[in-house]
């Protein structure tokens, strides 16, 4: 066979192979195009999550949420602080104002001052009295005797006398009435002496002997006594050594029964109270 014949046979065989390759390429391209342009109706549907609700076809009106007022936080209970019991020496129990049984020969409204036991009694009807705790004169400044309430003053001013200033030159010459005034909320002046029954801004001195001869009460007590006592009321100051009853069953003011005048003419004047020291009478500075 010649060379020309072999060449023609080769070209004849090669043609069908190329055609088959071309047809396969066209078919592959068509298949890929079909997959890419697949209609959406045949695409897989994604499942909605269980918590997602399908969109409603009609609008739904949802009511506004109700505003619930916030509750106040519950306080956590705190254990109560420990309270220490005060010492007996510091406890004012027996000096608390109270009504007590009190047998007296004095008429109601009389003030009896028990210097030795640091009590003041306001005599009532029916064998009773109002008892107050008091502070009295320190050693050398106690006195006894009978006086009258000459006048009464609310929130009194204080003017220390010259004798007191000579002993305590640091004292002010004048102090207006008020909470810081040593005479306290009320004062009842005894006769024409320098002595007073008055309040104090130092309640811890009740039951003690700290004054210059005046009788002091707490501000609460002196206001109570001030409202009860009348101008002209009799005030009996017992001597310190006569604090105890002279015999069982005797009234607490029996120790001054011998000093009580038989008639007004023999009653000691407001100026002749009997101090138990030779020191001059002073106003209270403590």
């Amino acid at each position: 066979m010649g060379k020309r014949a072999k060449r023609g046979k080769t070209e004849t065989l090669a043609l069908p192979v190329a055609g088959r390759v071309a047809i396969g390429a066209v078919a592959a391209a068509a298949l890929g195009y079909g997959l890419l342009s697949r209609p959406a109706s045949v695409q897989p549907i994604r499942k909605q999550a269980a918590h997602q609700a399908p969109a409603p076809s009609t609008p739904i009106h949802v009511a506004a949420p109700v505003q619930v007022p916030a509750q106040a936080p519950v306080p956590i209970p705190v254990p109560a602080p420990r309270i220490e019991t005060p010492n007996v020496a510091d406890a004012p129990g027996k000096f608390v104002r109270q009504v007590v049984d009190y047998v007296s020969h004095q008429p109601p409204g009389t003030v009896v001052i028990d210097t030795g036991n640091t009590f003041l009694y306001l005599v009532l009807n029916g064998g009773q009295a109002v008892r107050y705790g008091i502070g009295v004169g320190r050693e050398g400044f106690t006195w006894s005797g009978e006086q009258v309430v000459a006048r009464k003053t609310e929130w009194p001013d204080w003017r220390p006398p010259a004798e007191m200033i000579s002993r305590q030159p640091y004292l002010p010459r004048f102090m207006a009435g008020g909470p810081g005034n040593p005479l306290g909320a009320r004062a009842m002046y005894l006769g024409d002496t320098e002595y007073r029954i008055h309040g104090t801004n130092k309640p811890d001195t009740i039951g003690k002997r700290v004054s210059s001869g005046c009788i002091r009460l707490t501000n609460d007590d002196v206001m109570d006594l001030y409202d009860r006592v009348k101008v002209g009321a009799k005030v009996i100051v017992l001597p310190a050594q006569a604090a105890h009853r002279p015999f069982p069953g005797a009234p607490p003011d029996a120790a001054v029964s011998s000093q009580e005048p038989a008639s007004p003419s023999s009653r000691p004047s407001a100026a002749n109270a009997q101090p138990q020291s030779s020191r001059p009478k002073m106003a209270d500075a403590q």
Side-chain angles (χ1 to χ4, degrees), residues 154-158 175-186 199-201 219:
E154 298 184 7
W155 296 105
D157 298 332
W158 181 47
M175 183 178 291
N181 193 302
L183 297 184
R186 304 288 188 271
T200 180
N201 54 13
N219 280 335

Side-chain angles (χ1 to χ4, degrees), residues 134-170:
I134 59 174
V136 298
R138 59 187 180 271
E139 184 177 357
F141 288 88
T142 57
W143 59 280
S144 63
E146 181 181 323
Q147 298 293 331
V148 294
V149 176
R151 62 188 179 95
K152 306 193 301 181
T153 305
E154 298 184 7
W155 296 105
D157 298 332
W158 181 47
R159 293 177 175 84
E163 295 87 349
M164 182 178 293
I165 291 176
S166 66
R167 293 184 296 106
Q168 299 169 287
Y170 54 85

Side-chain angles (χ1 to χ4, degrees), residues 46-135:
R46 296 179 59 186
K47 294 183 178 180
Q48 294 180 344
H51 65 280
Q52 293 181 348
S57 59
T58 57
I60 300 176
H61 298 283
V62 180
V66 179
Q67 296 292 336
V68 179
Q71 295 182 353
V74 179
I76 301 175
V78 179
R82 181 179 178 183
I83 300 176
E84 296 183 0
T85 304
N87 295 329
V88 176
D90 300 331
K94 69 177 183 177
F95 297 121
V96 173
R97 180 176 73 243
Q98 55 190 295
V99 176
V100 297
D101 293 332
Y102 188 81
V103 179
S104 173
H105 301 300
Q106 304 299 330
T110 302
V111 174
V112 179
I113 297 173
D114 184 347
T115 304
N117 292 316
T118 60
F119 286 128
L120 182 150
Y121 296 89
L122 176 63
V123 179
L124 303 177
N125 288 311
Q128 291 185 320
V130 182
R131 189 181 73 183
Y132 305 83
I134 59 174

Side-chain angles (χ1 to χ4, degrees), residues 123-258:
V123 179
L124 303 177
N125 288 311
Q128 291 185 320
V130 182
R131 189 181 73 183
Y132 305 83
I134 59 174
V136 298
R138 59 187 180 271
E139 184 177 357
F141 288 88
T142 57
W143 59 280
S144 63
E146 181 181 323
Q147 298 293 331
V148 294
V149 176
R151 62 188 179 95
K152 306 193 301 181
T153 305
E154 298 184 7
W155 296 105
D157 298 332
W158 181 47
R159 293 177 175 84
E163 295 87 349
M164 182 178 293
I165 291 176
S166 66
R167 293 184 296 106
Q168 299 169 287
Y170 54 85
L171 293 177
R173 274 42 178 179
F174 171 80
M175 183 178 291
N181 193 302
L183 297 184
R186 304 288 188 271
M188 286 153 276
Y189 294 80
L190 303 181
D192 59 357
T193 71
E194 297 287 351
Y195 297 132
R196 308 173 183 88
I197 300 172
H198 62 79
T200 180
N201 54 13
K202 295 182 179 180
D204 57 325
T205 60
I206 299 303
K208 300 177 182 178
R209 293 164 174 80
V210 293
S211 77
S212 296
C214 288
I215 307 302
R216 63 176 60 180
L217 298 83
T218 64
N219 280 335
D220 286 343
D221 283 354
V222 79
M223 287 190 289
D224 181 84
L225 180 65
Y226 184 95
D227 292 338
R228 295 173 184 266
V229 171
K230 306 299 181 182
V231 172
K234 183 166 60 175
V235 179
I236 298 174
V237 181
L238 304 179
Q241 66 271 19
H244 300 287
R245 299 182 182 183
F247 55 87
D253 56 354
V256 295
S257 59
S258 60

